[in-house]
Amino acid sequence: MFTRQQTKKIRIGNVFIGAGGPILVQSMANTATSDAAKTVEQIKRLTDAGCEIARVAVPDVKAASRLGLIKKKISLPLVADIHFDHNLALMAIDQGVDKIRINPGNIGSKEKVALIVEAAKKARIPIRVGVNAGSLKSAHSIGNGEGAYLKRAKALADAALGYTAYFESLDFFDIVVSLKASDVKTTVEAYKLYAEKKKYPLHLGITEAGSLFRGTIKSSVGLGALLYLGLGDTLRVSLTSDPVEEVKVAYQILQALDLRSTGIDIISCPTCARCEVDIVRVVNELEKKLPVLRAPGNLKKARPLKVAVMGCVVNGPGEAKEADIGIAGSKKAGVLFQNGRITASLKPKMWVPELLKLIKNELKTRS
Ligand code: SF4
């Protein structure tokens, strides 16, 4: 088992990150923040999906002026994402947000950053220093030659270390750090370099990762590599999609490394010429009908319930026997296993209803 890096414990509203605590899942609303009702509605959907920290963009005064109202109507800690204008950050802090995210490099001057730091200190809220390769001047001239990603990663880490040192010189230590690039190698190396020097909690993410399909893969590879190195205290999967999908993907990444649990893990065979049952339909139906898969925040126990759905009696029974609940078989009948023992024989049309019943019963006894 890998060892997680011990970082400083930071409070964000009513949750904590760092110090080896659970890696919290966050997402970002894609509604106009100035439309408080729509934003609240989306954050509530994110909450139901298991999101634990919600971020909103604050592009203008109108958006900043709605933050207090939004915060009142949600249960998650609210993070204000600010670029360019330090006055928006001051307004957001005034509105009672739980954390500010800034990229100090685009706020305009050290003095303006210092004003934000002072206000955050007074309000006792943390600041995420979010360094992004896309907006880092020192990374632009590096080009694409051999080893360029290492140079870019160093530029990112150096920038984050510089900003961290500046915050510390202002006697401010409630810091969370992210070092994002849109490519996996630069991102992983940048986080590694920073973590060798500082122990502030790390917010992980691959920026502009892409569509649901591509972004999920890119994020899984990048975030998976970082998490396996023991790095990361909170994460956001960025997808060009409904943000609820970001939350679902984040939990699956964490579950793959036994770091969090969605409560249930479905193991299913890829199917082949031996398959006599429509396994694709069975698995899709199960996933659709299991509310727990859409509400991973409800169950956070370390060991998920393992459910195996296998298409034949050649390789299927072995896997089904190993699972908590498993089924393997042919169109005549599937052999149902519970905790390694055969308990029934089921015709394919009964697989979904029977598995659902057993899964729900088991989850009830576990919760
Ligand atoms: S379990 Fe059977 S049907 Fe499924 S992939 Fe393996 S051999 Fe093919």
Side-chain angles (χ1 to χ4, degrees):
M1 182 62 191
F2 52 91
T3 314
R4 286 186 55 208
Q5 189 197 41
Q6 286 300 307
T7 49
K8 185 175 157 54
K9 191 172 183 177
I10 298 275
R11 184 177 66 83
I12 305 165
N14 55 5
V15 301
F16 289 90
I17 59 166
I23 297 171
L24 299 192
V25 170
Q26 50 179 295
S27 183
M28 186 163 179
N30 61 10
T31 49
T33 308
S34 52
D35 188 337
K38 271 206 177 131
T39 304
V40 166
E41 188 193 312
Q42 190 175 67
I43 293 176
K44 285 188 174 162
R45 283 180 57 234
L46 288 169
T47 312
D48 289 344
C51 181
E52 293 161 312
I53 299 170
R55 181 158 50 113
V56 292
V58 185
D60 50 34
V61 170
K62 198 172 170 202
S65 70
R66 300 291 190 276
L67 294 169
L69 179 64
I70 293 169
K71 185 170 156 50
K72 249 187 238 152
K73 301 203 164 178
I74 61 171
S75 57
L76 300 185
L78 183 64
V79 183
D81 193 280
I82 315 278
H83 286 278
F84 311 123
D85 186 348
H86 74 291
N87 285 313
L88 294 176
L90 299 180
M91 261 186 93
I93 294 171
D94 236 25
Q95 291 268 320
V97 297
D98 300 296
K99 182 174 143 202
I100 293 282
R101 182 264 161 153
I102 56 168
N103 178 350
N106 69 22
I107 291 295
S109 70
K110 277 192 155 188
E111 292 68 33
K112 288 176 181 171
V113 172
L115 288 174
I116 301 173
V117 169
E118 272 317 304
K121 201 195 291 180
K122 244 193 226 154
R124 297 173 167 227
I125 61 165
I127 297 177
R128 168 155 68 96
V129 174
V131 189
N132 196 314
S135 59
L136 196 65
K137 279 194 197 117
S138 54
H140 287 166
S141 51
I142 290 171
N144 292 313
E146 204 181 325
Y149 77 92
L150 289 172
K151 289 183 197 152
R152 233 186 318 275
K154 187 165 180 324
L156 266 174
D158 285 348
L161 287 166
Y163 296 137
T164 309
Y166 181 56
F167 279 41
E168 287 170 336
S169 76
L170 298 169
D171 212 19
F172 187 83
F173 306 94
D174 263 352
I175 304 167
V176 181
V177 176
S178 63
L179 308 98
K180 296 190 191 175
S182 57
D183 75 282
V184 168
K185 292 188 296 180
T186 305
T187 307
V188 171
E189 290 302 328
Y191 275 102
K192 270 168 66 184
L193 286 171
Y194 182 85
E196 278 166 16
K197 301 270 171 55
K198 289 284 176 188
K199 301 292 175 245
Y200 290 111
L202 296 174
H203 165 119
L204 303 186
I206 307 289
T207 196
E208 294 118 25
S211 65
L212 181 55
F213 176 70
R214 285 168 190 271
T216 296
I217 294 167
K218 212 175 195 186
S219 297
S220 305
V221 173
L223 302 184
L226 284 165
L227 292 166
Y228 194 71
L229 290 171
L231 303 179
D233 300 280
T234 177
L235 60 85
R236 184 225 172 169
V237 171
S238 309
L239 297 175
T240 312
S241 182
D242 181 344
V244 164
E245 299 298 330
E246 299 185 348
V247 176
K248 285 156 71 175
V249 172
Y251 273 100
Q252 291 301 328
I253 293 172
L254 292 172
Q255 177 160 298
L257 288 164
D258 284 338
L259 287 163
R260 297 288 296 272
S261 172
T262 62
I264 183 162
D265 191 10
I266 296 183
I267 298 153
S268 54
C269 82
T271 76
C272 72
R274 290 188 196 95
C275 192
E276 293 186 38
V277 183
D278 188 352
I279 296 290
V280 177
R281 179 195 60 82
V282 170
V283 171
N284 283 343
E285 244 180 84
L286 277 179
E287 290 204 343
K288 230 189 333 197
K289 289 184 175 159
L290 280 171
V292 70
L293 284 179
R294 284 184 266 117
N298 293 346
L299 279 159
K300 290 166 187 164
K301 294 199 173 164
R303 197 180 77 81
L305 178 74
K306 278 200 175 177
V307 179
V309 183
M310 311 298 291
C312 77
V313 287
V314 179
N315 292 331
E319 199 69 59
K321 204 171 165 186
E322 289 297 311
D324 297 301
I325 300 167
I327 192 152
S330 64
K331 59 184 166 210
K332 278 193 205 123
V335 186
L336 180 71
F337 290 85
Q338 284 176 268
N339 300 312
R341 288 197 2 253
I342 295 176
T343 54
S345 160
L346 296 174
K347 288 228 157 46
K349 67 171 187 200
M350 290 311 295
W351 285 27
V352 171
E354 194 58 26
L355 285 174
L356 278 174
K357 196 174 84 192
L358 293 172
I359 292 166
K360 283 179 183 167
N361 282 346
E362 184 62 30
L363 291 175
K364 223 182 271 165
T365 60
R366 285 178 171 216
S367 58

